[in-house]
Amino acid sequence: MKHQNRITGPRMAQPRFLLSAVSVAVMALMNTAQAQEAPMQRVEVTGSSIKRIASENALPLTTIKAEELLNRGLTTMSEVAVALTVASTNEPVGGGGSGTMINMRGLNTNRTLVLLNGRRLANEALGDSSVNVDVIPMAAIERVEVLRDGASALYGTDAIAGVVNFITKRSITGVTASASTVQPEQSGGGAQRRAGFVAGKGDLAVEGWNIYTAVDVQRRDSLLQRDRPNITDPAKIAQLGGTPFTPNTSGGAASPANFTIYRNGKSANITGNPYFAAGCVTPYAVQTTIPSTRTNANGGKTCITDPTYYPELLPEAQQATIFTKASLAHGDGGILSIELNLSKSYIDASDAPQPFGASTDYDRLTASRKPLMITKASKWYPGGSGGVPAVAGLNGEDLALTWSLDELGAVTTHDEQLNHRLVVQDEGQIKGWDYRAGVSYAYSQRNIGFRDNFVRTPGLYAGVAQGILNPFGPQDQAGRDYLESISADGLEYRNADVRYYGADVNLSRTLMDLGGGALGLAVGADWHRESFEENMNMLGNEVVYKVSGTPGRNPSGSRRVAGMYAELDAPVTKQLNLNFAVRADHFSDFGNTVNPKASFRYQPMKQLMLRGTVSKGFRAPTLPELYGSERTLTPSSSNWDDPLLCPSATPGVTGTGTLTTDPRYAGLNLDPTRVCNTRLTTLTGANPDLEPEKSKTYTVGFVVEPFKNFVATVDFWKIDMTGTIAQVSEDTIFNNIEKYADLFVRNPDGTLQYITKTRLNMGGLRTQGIDIGLNYVYPTSSWGRFGFSLDGSYTDKYEGQNESGGEWFDSVGKNGALSTGATASNTYVFKWKHQARVNWSYGSFFGQLTQQYASSYEDTNALPTQKPGQPFFNRIAPYRVYNLSTSYKVNKQLKLGLGVNNLFDEDPPLSNQRLSSRVVFARNVAKPIGRTFTVRADYTF
């Protein structure tokens, strides 16, 4: 089809006892440091607005240097986000067009605050609730700081789960080019390539100015499911309790089309296919069908599409980021800087061809379907003049078709994101005060459209009815021309943009001396305005298939937030430090809120430090949750059996229900195709009645150095939320029909009106656990330096309510989709998750072995009440992956790196999670790519 208007070295110093979590985390995660102690400088760390010596801070903060990211073999921001131990982040697969969102504590991405250099970015445009970290420039990153206690009085109390602050290099001189590749051992796709370029000029300390630019370009190739047969083996899936696809299924949409005989305008429940007798060997150049083994009349003698042929495990993806920073020194230590960040990315996701017929949507807005009919007047009728084989017993009756356009090939959607950000900042000192002030503008845009092999549904129906299109074989020239005339390729159907304007000012200074040092004070204020606008044209209602959103809807909304905060840091004695902060915000749509925070650090002896925090949080509903598309009826995202009119012992497994024999519904003359294994009607859209979420966060822990070169940190955390905003997923609803019976709204005669899927204030959520960090360094005089470190997170409780005052349900080791509000993919709450690292540095050589571990958990099963050994029950075993990375500094200019990811080629666990309606791998713990080899080179000119 034509496509017009295309969418287009050094050694580590002997560590002394570290006074706070900041320096402990740095030691635990750094693998190189200066050979001797540099003069201590006052810096500002994430979570506090008072500049101080870094080792004086007591917040539970983890810092990861850029070099450590490379040592772990992480080459993209998506990999960095997924690797965070405290996160339940899924890397986007199967077309995850929104990008990578960080999900700390399993509380969902909209409760984690992501910053770039201490300031907010524009959210991803369609959801306008979370930052896509793929837009952050990897080549310019100096470190990543993860504040694990949440509810930040400095940045905003919506950071209920925590804060992740990506910090770029302050200045750069010289030119460095880098290139890396990740090559799978198995063939078929999934390779990644990355190139970076950083150039800077001007010595900020000597010449008083610096300007640098970092460019980063990445590309990932598509990986099809059929290229990883270990993920699609039906026997393995059945052994693990999954639901393998077998030929014993209803025909569905196939190519050539299956048919159902119609008599007197109603289905006679007799099915067939003109090529079934020939073993479903078709006249097409590419064979995509196999015979169905069903023998009953309804579904017998049909062909089915090979379930492994089309699904895509990893979509094609590409992105480019440019980050430029210019700095000018002035006065006594002042620096004026300008930052510009530009990013463009796209994901092209492929899937099975468009299906047509009574079991698929014809009109998205009304959630309606209608049969695709062919009569004996068409030359393409079986046995007619077009050459389609005759079918025994077929006597010219009208036929309802289920047809997919395999002749055109897989469909591909194009999902493009643009992100711009400009920040102007000045910082320095004035009359004894440290000050920082800045203004920022950020813009996020997302455009979604059809790239390949989409046609308009009404046009196809008309083409079959008029005898132009052949649903049973290749098109003639007239048919090919007609398909071209109804093509939707190269056209966009949905776009959205988010705009962010912000201004902030912060003043800090020391006051009187206390027993342990000077009293510190900081005050500040910030203001921002955020707006979103979405436009979806009616093309989505014509194409219907693989369309997100609601055609014809153009929602928009905006919000202004003004905040003031104050922070007081009191070193009461040399052993005890207290910190108090409070933030007051005014929301243009929710009024005023005041939220305090307090923390302490107590060091009773040289080898031990105690610390703790307590804070309150407040998160207003996102703009799309409040002002997005108005509530509307849409088809369910998957096929289901109506639990009342097509009951099943396992309602979470579609296609297992049977038409009801209850005499109360005998007069309805029920059509099984409308109530069994079909798309049911749901009510979706914004909810202007949502109320804000509120939270309380507590942490308490200690840092201990029992012997030289070994440091351990232990932090207990607890988060209690009320008014949790969530949208119950369809899987969750049908996996427990009794619990969610009130979401099924029915007409007086018992027929289903709709299933409520709008976001609601569900009740409360309470979760708690322990973070553990260990670090040991063993330097030798002859064999270099050896090191070991571990970062782990143990979740003891993750309980949620379906309504205020209702029963509490614990999701530790289970699917937590309800509590997190996940809508596109399930979030699992791990009992234990860690990263352990052993490394060795010797001269110019460095090597590190990393283990990523996630504990066992219960999969998305048909019924939560089912037990091991019963059908459709699956438990994912503990999953471990080892990555080996090495680097060698050839000379001052050239550094080379080699590595192996998934060293022992561990297969991903097979799972009941659904991706494109297929049983797939557990993508929350594993990648489908298998063992890969990495090569990296950095050259400084």
Side-chain angles (χ1 to χ4, degrees), residues 424-673:
V424 180
Q425 172 185 291
D426 189 35
E427 60 179 308
Q429 292 184 326
I430 181 170
K431 295 184 178 181
W433 290 82
D434 292 317
Y435 74 88
R436 186 195 68 243
V439 294
S440 62
Y441 166 74
Y443 173 73
S444 173
Q445 184 185 65
R446 189 167 167 195
N447 305 307
I448 306 178
F450 307 113
R451 198 190 79 172
D452 294 320
N453 304 326
F454 285 91
V455 299
R456 293 170 168 85
T457 299
L460 183 129
Y461 271 64
V464 172
Q466 296 167 16
I468 302 173
L469 295 179
N470 176 15
F472 299 115
Q475 306 303 318
D476 57 15
Q477 187 60 51
R480 291 192 292 271
D481 292 342
Y482 185 82
L483 285 177
E484 181 63 37
S485 72
I486 61 173
S487 171
D489 291 352
L491 303 177
E492 293 180 358
Y493 70 86
R494 190 181 188 188
N495 62 73
D497 65 66
V498 167
R499 299 175 188 271
Y500 177 92
Y501 306 85
D504 60 86
V505 61
N506 172 264
L507 298 170
S508 65
R509 66 168 299 162
T510 57
L511 302 176
M512 62 182 180
D513 288 335
L514 300 179
L519 180 68
L521 171 68
V523 294
D526 53 53
W527 172 92
H528 72 261
R529 180 184 187 274
E530 183 179 6
S531 65
F532 92 99
E533 182 177 358
E534 180 184 334
N535 295 285
M536 187 170 181
N537 59 46
M538 295 305 294
L539 178 63
N541 198 50
E542 293 186 69
V543 174
V544 182
Y545 183 59
K546 296 301 175 185
V547 172
S548 61
T550 305
R553 301 293 195 270
N554 301 295
S556 63
S558 64
R559 169 183 293 152
R560 297 179 305 279
V561 182
M564 298 181 64
Y565 59 87
E567 179 184 1
L568 194 66
D569 189 71
V572 180
T573 68
K574 293 185 181 297
Q575 293 78 32
L576 178 63
N577 190 96
L578 301 178
N579 186 282
F580 303 95
V582 64
R583 180 181 180 91
D585 290 292
H586 174 76
F587 290 77
S588 59
D589 48 1
F590 282 101
N592 302 322
T593 177
V594 177
N595 297 279
K597 181 172 184 175
S599 63
F600 78 92
R601 173 182 59 81
Y602 178 60
Q603 184 190 345
M605 62 184 69
K606 180 180 178 182
Q607 294 80 15
L608 176 66
M609 183 192 74
L610 306 177
R611 63 186 179 196
T613 65
V614 59
S615 59
K616 293 179 65 176
F618 177 96
R619 189 186 78 86
T622 65
L623 294 176
E625 287 172 344
L626 290 169
Y627 314 121
S629 294
E630 62 189 65
R631 299 185 194 187
T632 185
L633 298 177
T634 62
S636 58
S637 57
S638 300
N639 281 19
W640 300 104
D641 301 319
D642 186 318
L644 180 66
L645 303 180
C646 186
S648 166
T650 56
V653 181
T654 187
T656 58
T658 55
L659 195 66
T660 182
T661 57
D662 191 320
R664 290 177 297 173
Y665 310 114
L668 295 178
N669 193 25
L670 293 173
D671 184 347
T673 63

Side-chain angles (χ1 to χ4, degrees), residues 19 46 60 150 268 422 434 481 667 917:
L19 297 179
T46 300
L422 177 66
D434 292 317
D481 292 342
S917 301

Side-chain angles (χ1 to χ4, degrees), residues 60-64 84 86 104 144-148 163-165:
L61 184 75
T62 299
T63 302
I64 312 173
L84 294 177
V86 296
M104 289 180 64
V144 181
E145 295 184 345
V146 183
L147 180 63
R148 294 177 278 112
V163 180
V164 181
N165 191 7

Side-chain angles (χ1 to χ4, degrees), residues 2 30 44 57 68 123 125 230 233 293 296 344 390 456 500 536 656 701 723 730 883:
K2 296 179 182 178
M30 287 177 57
E44 184 176 305
N57 197 309
E68 169 59 20
N123 290 326
N230 54 315
D233 185 341
T293 58
N296 60 325
K344 182 177 182 178
R456 293 170 168 85
Y500 177 92
M536 187 170 181
T656 58
E730 291 177 12
N883 299 329

Side-chain angles (χ1 to χ4, degrees), residues 276-396:
F276 178 80
C280 291
V281 176
T282 69
Y284 298 111
V286 178
Q287 302 296 309
T288 62
T289 57
I290 57 177
S292 170
T293 58
R294 277 201 170 191
T295 57
N296 60 325
N298 186 13
K301 298 183 179 181
T302 57
C303 303
I304 60 174
T305 302
D306 183 344
T308 67
Y309 191 80
Y310 289 109
E312 189 176 49
L313 295 174
L314 293 174
E316 176 187 318
Q318 183 170 308
Q319 66 183 62
T321 59
I322 300 176
F323 180 82
T324 297
K325 183 174 183 178
S327 301
L328 178 66
H330 63 85
D332 185 13
I335 297 177
L336 174 66
S337 62
I338 299 176
E339 299 175 8
L340 176 64
N341 186 42
L342 306 175
S343 174
K344 182 177 182 178
S345 62
Y346 74 80
I347 292 179
D348 284 354
S350 297
D351 212 325
Q354 270 181 275
F356 301 92
S359 61
T360 56
D361 306 328
Y362 179 85
D363 188 311
R364 185 177 179 86
L365 287 177
T366 60
S368 66
R369 306 160 191 83
K370 69 177 185 179
L372 172 62
M373 304 300 298
I374 188 172
T375 68
K376 62 182 179 180
S378 171
K379 68 177 181 179
W380 306 116
Y381 192 88
S385 61
V388 176
V391 178
L394 190 60
N395 300 313

Side-chain angles (χ1 to χ4, degrees), residues 183-237:
Q183 185 63 44
E185 182 179 36
Q186 300 182 57
S187 61
Q192 295 180 192
R193 293 167 295 280
R194 174 179 175 268
F197 178 85
V198 181
K201 187 174 179 59
D203 189 317
L204 191 58
V206 177
E207 300 175 272
W209 64 277
N210 178 263
I211 184 170
Y212 74 86
T213 295
V215 179
D216 196 275
V217 179
Q218 304 172 32
R219 179 182 173 85
R220 181 184 66 194
D221 296 336
S222 166
L223 176 66
L224 296 177
Q225 185 166 303
R226 64 174 182 259
D227 292 321
R228 293 295 182 268
N230 54 315
I231 295 178
T232 58
D233 185 341
K236 290 184 179 179
I237 293 173

Side-chain angles (χ1 to χ4, degrees), residues 11-16 27 33-37 709 777 779 785:
R11 297 166 64 93
M12 179 171 284
Q14 301 291 325
R16 301 175 301 170
M27 292 299 298
Q34 297 300 322
Q36 59 185 7
E37 293 182 1
N709 294 342
V777 178
R785 189 205 66 189

Side-chain angles (χ1 to χ4, degrees), residues 672-690:
T673 63
R674 299 298 180 94
V675 295
C676 297
N677 194 16
T678 188
R679 299 287 180 97
L680 302 176
T681 302
T682 64
L683 179 68
T684 63
N687 184 354
D689 298 324
L690 289 174

